[in-house]
Amino acid sequence: MLDGRSCVVPRLFSSSCQSENDWSYMKYLLDLDIKNGKRPMEIDAEDEPQPRKCNKILDSCHRVETAPISFQQQSCHAKDSVILQMDQETILSICQGVEEHGQPKDSSDSGIQLSDERQHAGDSSDSGSLLPRMNRDSSIACLSRCSRSDYGSLASLNRSFRNTIRSGELYKWRRLNGIMEHWVYFSCALLEWEAYDPIRQRWMHLPRMASNECFMCSDKESLAVGTELLVFGRELRSHVIFRYSLLTNSWSSGMRMNAPRCLFGSASLGEIAILAGGCDSEGRILDSAELYNSETQTWETLPSMRKPRKMCSGIFMDGKFYVIGGIGGSDSKLLMCGEEYNLQTRTWTEIPNMSPGRSSRASEMPATAEAPPLVAVVNNELFAADYADMEVKKYDKDRKLWFTIGRLPERAVSMNGWGLAFRACGNRLIVIGGPRTHGEGFIELNSWVPSEGPPQWHLLARKRSGNFVYNCAVMGC
C-alpha cells in the first residue's frame, strides 16, 4: 500500500490502548457486526466508493510486518512508539460503523448533502467515541499512532475526526507520549515554503504567504514550535510575525513580541520557544530574551542575558536553552562565549569558548558577512558545521572545547555559510544545500545518524532549485 516504504509494526498499541480495547478486539467486534448482517458504514451517494471490510486493517498490518524498516521508525522518540502508515481505504476501514453509532459523514467534507436532522445528529456526536465500541480516550490513543501524513485523510472522513485533528488534541497526546515525526520546512523563494516528509519521502507546498514587498526584502528568521511555523521579518513600519498552523494549513499574522527584533538566536522545546538577542527597529543590539508558548500564543519577557548580541544561534540541550556566538558591543566584536539559561532558576550563566569560531579561511572577512554559527543538537550532543573547511565538529561539554569528527557532504555549498541549513531531525543531523552551476542548481537533503559512528552522509532527497535555502526549520510533532 505504500510501495514497500512502510515501517515494521511490532507491539502496535502496547502502551496506549487497554487490552479490552486493542486492535484485535476492535476487529472482533466489527467482524461480529458484519456476521450479523450489519453494514459497517452507510454511504449516501451511489457513486461513492464502498469501504473495504474491516479485516483490511489486519491485512494491511500483516503486509507492514514484512516490509523493511523505514526512516519513520527511527523518528519516534519513545521506545514503544510505533506509527502505523495507512492509505485512504485503510483509514476508511478503521472508521466502519461510525454512521450507525450516530456519526454521519460530514457534508462539508464529502460533498454529500445531509438533512438538517442528520447534520444535527452529527454535531451532537462530536464529543463521543471516534472509533466504534471504544471510548474517546482509547480512540485518541490509537489514532495518535497513525502517521501525521494520514491526518488529512482522517479529517476528511467526518466532522468528528476533522474537529479532533484541527483542535490539536491528537498532537497533544503524541507529545505527552513521546510520539514524534519530523518534517523539514524550508524556503527557497521569498514568500513560498515547502515541506519534506522523510517518512513518505514526498515534497509538499505550503500556501503562499500574503505579505507586502517590504517583508519580501527584509531579513527573515524562522522557527518551528509545537504545530506552528513562525516567520519573522519587517513590514513598512514595524516587525511582523507570520504564523503557519499545521492544524489549519493556513497563514495568519498580527502576533507581536514584547520587544520586536530581528537577527536573534532561537530554539524550541515542545510547545515553547525562546528567542534571545538580536536588533530592534533602530539597529540597537539587544540583551533581552522572550519565551513563546504556542499553546496559548503568548509571549513572556525573560531576564536579560549577560551580554547583548545579534546574529547568534540558539539551541536546547539537557533541558536548558543556550545562545551561542554572535556579534556584540559597539564595535561589533565577534563573541566566542555562549550563555546558558536555566528555566527553573530563571538565570543566565556565561560559558567561555562555546562558539565553534571562525575558520582560518574566513578570518579575513568582516564578522557581519558570515552566517550565524551553524549548530544543532542530537541526543543532547552539540554539533557544528564549519562551512569554510567543510568539517563537522562536536562540542565536549566537560572540557568546553570543539573538535573535528568528520566531513560535511561535498556538494553542500554556501556563500559564507548563508544558504546552508544544518539542523537536527529526530535522531539525525541533516544538511540542506546543493551545487550551483550556470544559474541553475539543486537542493539536496543529506542525513547522518551520530549514534552510528563517524559522519557518513546519505542522500534523502534532491530537487532542482534556482535559489539557495533562505530559511529552514524542523517541526517535530
Side-chain angles (χ1 to χ4, degrees):
M1 61 181 172
L2 292 173
D3 301 326
R5 294 198 297 268
S6 302
C7 66
V8 173
V9 189
R11 303 174 62 189
L12 185 57
F13 299 127
S14 58
S15 61
S16 59
C17 296
Q18 300 173 359
S19 59
E20 66 269 25
N21 285 326
D22 67 9
W23 209 237
S24 59
Y25 180 70
M26 188 177 77
K27 176 187 180 299
Y28 164 77
L29 291 175
L30 294 178
D31 280 337
L32 189 61
D33 283 346
I34 294 172
K35 290 178 182 179
N36 291 333
K38 297 181 180 179
R39 292 191 64 189
M41 178 182 287
E42 295 293 331
I43 304 297
D44 291 335
E46 293 182 358
D47 58 349
E48 281 286 321
Q50 297 296 322
R52 297 184 182 178
K53 294 183 181 295
C54 61
N55 59 11
K56 175 176 172 61
I57 299 171
L58 228 50
D59 291 341
S60 61
C61 289
H62 176 72
R63 290 197 299 271
V64 166
E65 289 176 350
T66 62
I69 296 176
S70 71
F71 179 92
Q72 180 175 6
Q73 190 179 31
Q74 299 179 10
S75 68
C76 301
H77 280 185
K79 182 178 181 180
D80 295 327
S81 299
V82 180
I83 295 175
L84 175 65
Q85 297 184 359
M86 298 175 293
D87 59 15
Q88 176 76 19
E89 290 183 327
T90 306
I91 295 170
L92 284 168
S93 67
I94 291 177
C95 306
Q96 292 182 78
V98 292
E99 256 197 340
E100 69 179 68
H101 290 279
Q103 295 180 355
K105 287 177 69 65
D106 183 10
S107 60
S108 63
D109 286 336
S110 65
I112 300 173
Q113 296 298 320
L114 304 178
S115 66
D116 291 340
E117 181 179 355
R118 292 190 66 196
Q119 289 190 32
H120 179 73
D123 289 335
S124 63
S125 66
D126 282 349
S127 60
S129 175
L130 292 165
L131 298 178
R133 311 298 174 89
M134 299 178 69
N135 61 45
R136 185 175 181 81
D137 288 344
S138 296
S139 298
I140 294 295
C142 291
L143 291 172
S144 298
R145 302 285 177 159
C146 299
S147 170
R148 65 184 178 105
S149 294
D150 293 319
Y151 283 1
S153 298
L154 284 170
S156 69
L157 292 176
N158 59 38
R159 185 180 295 109
S160 294
F161 280 102
R162 184 189 63 193
N163 292 343
T164 300
I165 291 170
R166 290 188 176 180
S167 69
E169 188 174 1
L170 285 176
Y171 290 104
K172 291 178 183 178
W173 196 96
R174 288 163 68 96
R175 184 173 67 247
L176 291 174
N177 289 273
I179 303 173
M180 193 171 294
E181 297 170 82
H182 295 84
W183 289 5
V184 184
Y185 294 79
F186 62 92
S187 173
C188 294
L190 296 175
L191 299 179
E192 297 179 4
W193 280 79
E194 296 181 75
Y196 180 73
D197 176 4
I199 300 165
R200 297 289 173 83
Q201 301 177 16
R202 65 173 182 172
W203 303 89
M204 292 158 283
H205 284 276
L206 274 60
R208 185 180 173 88
M209 299 176 65
S211 61
N212 59 30
E213 185 174 350
C214 183
F215 181 85
M216 293 174 59
C217 300
S218 67
D219 291 321
K220 288 182 283 292
E221 286 80 31
S222 61
L223 172 68
V225 50
T227 56
E228 298 177 353
L229 172 65
L230 305 182
V231 182
F232 304 79
R234 282 187 61 109
E235 289 194 330
L236 188 58
R237 297 183 179 179
S238 63
H239 292 87
V240 65
I241 306 173
F242 281 86
R243 170 181 169 267
Y244 169 79
S245 171
L246 179 66
L247 306 180
T248 62
N249 189 36
S250 62
W251 292 93
S252 59
S253 63
M255 303 164 53
R256 282 182 60 87
M257 283 182 277
N258 296 317
R261 66 193 69 204
C262 63
L263 301 178
F264 50 80
S266 65
S268 63
L269 181 66
E271 74 279 10
I272 68 167
I274 293 180
L275 285 66
C279 295
D280 63 13
S281 57
E282 304 298 326
R284 290 185 291 264
I285 301 178
L286 304 174
D287 60 2
S288 61
E290 298 192 36
L291 184 146
Y292 174 70
N293 188 315
S294 63
E295 297 290 328
T296 60
Q297 297 182 31
T298 57
W299 295 92
E300 174 191 353
T301 300
L302 301 179
S304 296
M305 297 185 294
R306 293 180 174 270
K307 283 184 170 62
R309 60 182 78 209
K310 67 175 182 178
M311 299 180 67
C312 47
S313 296
I315 59 162
F316 270 98
M317 182 170 61
D318 299 318
K320 299 175 182 178
F321 174 77
Y322 294 82
V323 60
I324 298 174
I327 298 170
S330 57
D331 55 352
S332 296
K333 181 181 178 181
L334 188 69
L335 298 175
M336 297 303 297
C337 64
E339 295 191 40
E340 172 194 279
Y341 180 72
N342 188 312
L343 279 74
Q344 279 68 46
T345 61
R346 294 177 61 85
T347 56
W348 291 92
T349 302
E350 186 173 324
I351 302 176
N353 301 320
M354 197 173 187
S355 175
R358 309 176 70 186
S359 69
S360 57
R361 299 183 187 183
S363 58
E364 296 181 358
M365 67 180 63
T368 53
E370 284 192 274
L374 302 176
V375 292
V377 172
V378 172
N379 296 328
N380 286 317
E381 296 290 342
L382 177 59
F383 300 88
D386 183 338
Y387 73 89
D389 293 330
M390 297 295 287
E391 294 178 341
V392 181
K393 297 181 178 180
K394 184 177 180 181
Y395 182 67
D396 188 321
K397 290 184 282 188
D398 296 327
R399 295 188 293 168
K400 294 182 173 53
L401 56 85
W402 291 89
F403 58 96
T404 300
I405 58 173
R407 302 283 298 172
L408 287 171
E410 293 300 326
R411 291 161 61 89
V413 299
S414 68
M415 296 179 61
N416 301 332
W418 301 106
L420 181 68
F422 184 74
R423 297 286 187 271
C425 187
N427 66 340
R428 298 172 178 247
L429 282 170
I430 59 169
V431 172
I432 306 179
R436 291 288 177 274
T437 56
H438 306 296
E440 295 184 356
F442 292 88
I443 295 296
E444 297 181 346
L445 280 72
N446 288 276
S447 74
W448 162 56
V449 181
S451 61
E452 295 181 353
Q456 295 290 331
W457 297 97
H458 301 281
L459 183 65
L460 286 179
R462 185 173 187 257
K463 68 175 299 185
R464 189 176 297 276
S465 175
N467 297 315
F468 286 104
V469 176
Y470 293 137
N471 291 99
C472 178
V474 176
M475 185 185 297
C477 58

